[in-house]
PDB file of all heavy atoms in Angstrom:
ATOM      1  N   MET A  50      75.743  25.822  67.496  1.00 72.00           N
ATOM      2  CA  MET A  50      75.613  27.256  67.751  1.00 72.00           C
ATOM      3  C   MET A  50      76.424  28.104  66.772  1.00 72.00           C
ATOM      4  O   MET A  50      76.554  29.318  66.975  1.00 72.00           O
ATOM      5  CB  MET A  50      76.067  27.589  69.184  1.00 72.00           C
ATOM      6  CG  MET A  50      75.170  26.983  70.254  1.00 72.00           C
ATOM      7  SD  MET A  50      75.924  27.043  71.873  1.00 72.00           S
ATOM      8  CE  MET A  50      76.026  28.796  72.151  1.00 72.00           C
ATOM      9  N   SER A  51      76.983  27.477  65.728  1.00 74.00           N
ATOM     10  CA  SER A  51      77.904  28.212  64.866  1.00 74.00           C
ATOM     11  C   SER A  51      77.233  29.389  64.152  1.00 74.00           C
ATOM     12  O   SER A  51      77.886  30.336  63.776  1.00 74.00           O
ATOM     13  CB  SER A  51      78.543  27.269  63.846  1.00 74.00           C
ATOM     14  OG  SER A  51      77.542  26.755  63.010  1.00 74.00           O
ATOM     15  N   TYR A  52      75.942  29.351  63.995  1.00 74.00           N
ATOM     16  CA  TYR A  52      75.243  30.459  63.323  1.00 74.00           C
ATOM     17  C   TYR A  52      74.654  31.460  64.326  1.00 74.00           C
ATOM     18  O   TYR A  52      73.982  32.401  63.957  1.00 74.00           O
ATOM     19  CB  TYR A  52      74.154  29.914  62.384  1.00 74.00           C
ATOM     20  CG  TYR A  52      73.117  29.090  63.104  1.00 74.00           C
ATOM     21  CD1 TYR A  52      71.950  29.660  63.571  1.00 74.00           C
ATOM     22  CD2 TYR A  52      73.332  27.739  63.329  1.00 74.00           C
ATOM     23  CE1 TYR A  52      71.017  28.909  64.256  1.00 74.00           C
ATOM     24  CE2 TYR A  52      72.406  26.982  64.013  1.00 74.00           C
ATOM     25  CZ  TYR A  52      71.259  27.567  64.465  1.00 74.00           C
ATOM     26  OH  TYR A  52      70.345  26.826  65.146  1.00 74.00           O
ATOM     27  N   TRP A  53      74.860  31.212  65.637  1.00 73.00           N
ATOM     28  CA  TRP A  53      74.368  32.160  66.649  1.00 73.00           C
ATOM     29  C   TRP A  53      75.288  33.386  66.657  1.00 73.00           C
ATOM     30  O   TRP A  53      76.501  33.255  66.556  1.00 73.00           O
ATOM     31  CB  TRP A  53      74.378  31.521  68.048  1.00 73.00           C
ATOM     32  CG  TRP A  53      73.303  30.487  68.245  1.00 73.00           C
ATOM     33  CD1 TRP A  53      72.710  29.754  67.285  1.00 73.00           C
ATOM     34  CD2 TRP A  53      72.742  30.079  69.485  1.00 73.00           C
ATOM     35  NE1 TRP A  53      71.794  28.891  67.828  1.00 73.00           N
ATOM     36  CE2 TRP A  53      71.789  29.075  69.195  1.00 73.00           C
ATOM     37  CE3 TRP A  53      72.934  30.457  70.817  1.00 73.00           C
ATOM     38  CZ2 TRP A  53      71.036  28.439  70.182  1.00 73.00           C
ATOM     39  CZ3 TRP A  53      72.187  29.818  71.801  1.00 73.00           C
ATOM     40  CH2 TRP A  53      71.242  28.827  71.486  1.00 73.00           C
ATOM     41  N   ARG A  54      74.711  34.543  66.823  1.00 76.00           N
ATOM     42  CA  ARG A  54      75.485  35.768  66.803  1.00 76.00           C
ATOM     43  C   ARG A  54      75.804  36.230  68.232  1.00 76.00           C
ATOM     44  O   ARG A  54      74.961  36.111  69.125  1.00 76.00           O
ATOM     45  CB  ARG A  54      74.730  36.875  66.057  1.00 76.00           C
ATOM     46  CG  ARG A  54      74.588  36.585  64.582  1.00 76.00           C
ATOM     47  CD  ARG A  54      73.976  37.727  63.810  1.00 76.00           C
ATOM     48  NE  ARG A  54      73.840  37.350  62.405  1.00 76.00           N
ATOM     49  CZ  ARG A  54      74.840  37.446  61.529  1.00 76.00           C
ATOM     50  NH1 ARG A  54      76.011  37.904  61.899  1.00 76.00           N
ATOM     51  NH2 ARG A  54      74.647  37.069  60.274  1.00 76.00           N
ATOM     52  N   VAL A  55      76.993  36.723  68.403  1.00 72.00           N
ATOM     53  CA  VAL A  55      77.407  37.254  69.715  1.00 72.00           C
ATOM     54  C   VAL A  55      77.983  38.660  69.523  1.00 72.00           C
ATOM     55  O   VAL A  55      78.959  38.819  68.782  1.00 72.00           O
ATOM     56  CB  VAL A  55      78.501  36.363  70.343  1.00 72.00           C
ATOM     57  CG1 VAL A  55      78.798  36.852  71.765  1.00 72.00           C
ATOM     58  CG2 VAL A  55      78.079  34.920  70.371  1.00 72.00           C
ATOM     59  N   PRO A  56      77.414  39.676  70.133  1.00 71.00           N
ATOM     60  CA  PRO A  56      76.148  39.637  70.868  1.00 71.00           C
ATOM     61  C   PRO A  56      74.969  39.436  69.911  1.00 71.00           C
ATOM     62  O   PRO A  56      75.105  39.676  68.714  1.00 71.00           O
ATOM     63  CB  PRO A  56      76.102  41.012  71.533  1.00 71.00           C
ATOM     64  CG  PRO A  56      76.933  41.889  70.678  1.00 71.00           C
ATOM     65  CD  PRO A  56      78.004  41.024  70.094  1.00 71.00           C
ATOM     66  N   GLY A  57      73.867  39.030  70.469  1.00 69.00           N
ATOM     67  CA  GLY A  57      72.689  38.720  69.644  1.00 69.00           C
ATOM     68  C   GLY A  57      72.288  39.900  68.786  1.00 69.00           C
ATOM     69  O   GLY A  57      72.416  41.039  69.190  1.00 69.00           O
ATOM     70  N   GLY A  58      71.836  39.643  67.622  1.00 70.00           N
ATOM     71  CA  GLY A  58      71.402  40.713  66.724  1.00 70.00           C
ATOM     72  C   GLY A  58      72.471  41.003  65.682  1.00 70.00           C
ATOM     73  O   GLY A  58      72.512  40.362  64.657  1.00 70.00           O
ATOM     74  N   GLY A  59      73.372  41.885  66.011  1.00 75.00           N
ATOM     75  CA  GLY A  59      74.307  42.329  64.970  1.00 75.00           C
ATOM     76  C   GLY A  59      75.726  41.802  65.081  1.00 75.00           C
ATOM     77  O   GLY A  59      76.572  42.138  64.246  1.00 75.00           O
ATOM     78  N   GLY A  60      76.029  40.982  66.117  1.00 77.00           N
ATOM     79  CA  GLY A  60      77.405  40.518  66.302  1.00 77.00           C
ATOM     80  C   GLY A  60      77.835  39.473  65.290  1.00 77.00           C
ATOM     81  O   GLY A  60      77.046  39.081  64.423  1.00 77.00           O
ATOM     82  N   VAL A  61      79.076  39.062  65.424  1.00 76.00           N
ATOM     83  CA  VAL A  61      79.553  38.000  64.512  1.00 76.00           C
ATOM     84  C   VAL A  61      79.049  36.669  65.030  1.00 76.00           C
ATOM     85  O   VAL A  61      78.730  36.529  66.210  1.00 76.00           O
ATOM     86  CB  VAL A  61      81.100  37.970  64.431  1.00 76.00           C
ATOM     87  CG1 VAL A  61      81.624  39.229  63.793  1.00 76.00           C
ATOM     88  CG2 VAL A  61      81.708  37.724  65.805  1.00 76.00           C
ATOM     89  N   THR A  62      79.043  35.689  64.170  1.00 78.00           N
ATOM     90  CA  THR A  62      78.557  34.377  64.602  1.00 78.00           C
ATOM     91  C   THR A  62      79.711  33.618  65.238  1.00 78.00           C
ATOM     92  O   THR A  62      80.891  33.926  65.015  1.00 78.00           O
ATOM     93  CB  THR A  62      78.023  33.574  63.404  1.00 78.00           C
ATOM     94  OG1 THR A  62      79.117  33.320  62.513  1.00 78.00           O
ATOM     95  CG2 THR A  62      76.912  34.320  62.677  1.00 78.00           C
ATOM     96  N   TYR A  63      79.307  32.590  66.012  1.00 75.00           N
ATOM     97  CA  TYR A  63      80.347  31.724  66.593  1.00 75.00           C
ATOM     98  C   TYR A  63      81.144  31.061  65.474  1.00 75.00           C
ATOM     99  O   TYR A  63      82.334  30.839  65.587  1.00 75.00           O
ATOM    100  CB  TYR A  63      79.716  30.651  67.473  1.00 75.00           C
ATOM    101  CG  TYR A  63      79.234  31.166  68.816  1.00 75.00           C
ATOM    102  CD1 TYR A  63      77.884  31.150  69.147  1.00 75.00           C
ATOM    103  CD2 TYR A  63      80.145  31.653  69.757  1.00 75.00           C
ATOM    104  CE1 TYR A  63      77.441  31.596  70.379  1.00 75.00           C
ATOM    105  CE2 TYR A  63      79.707  32.107  70.990  1.00 75.00           C
ATOM    106  CZ  TYR A  63      78.366  32.087  71.309  1.00 75.00           C
ATOM    107  OH  TYR A  63      77.929  32.530  72.528  1.00 75.00           O
TER     108      TYR A  63
END
Side-chain angles (χ1 to χ4, degrees):
Chain A
M50 294 166 65
S51 64
Y52 60 93
W53 287 26
R54 293 186 182 277
V55 186
V61 294
T62 64
Y63 285 116

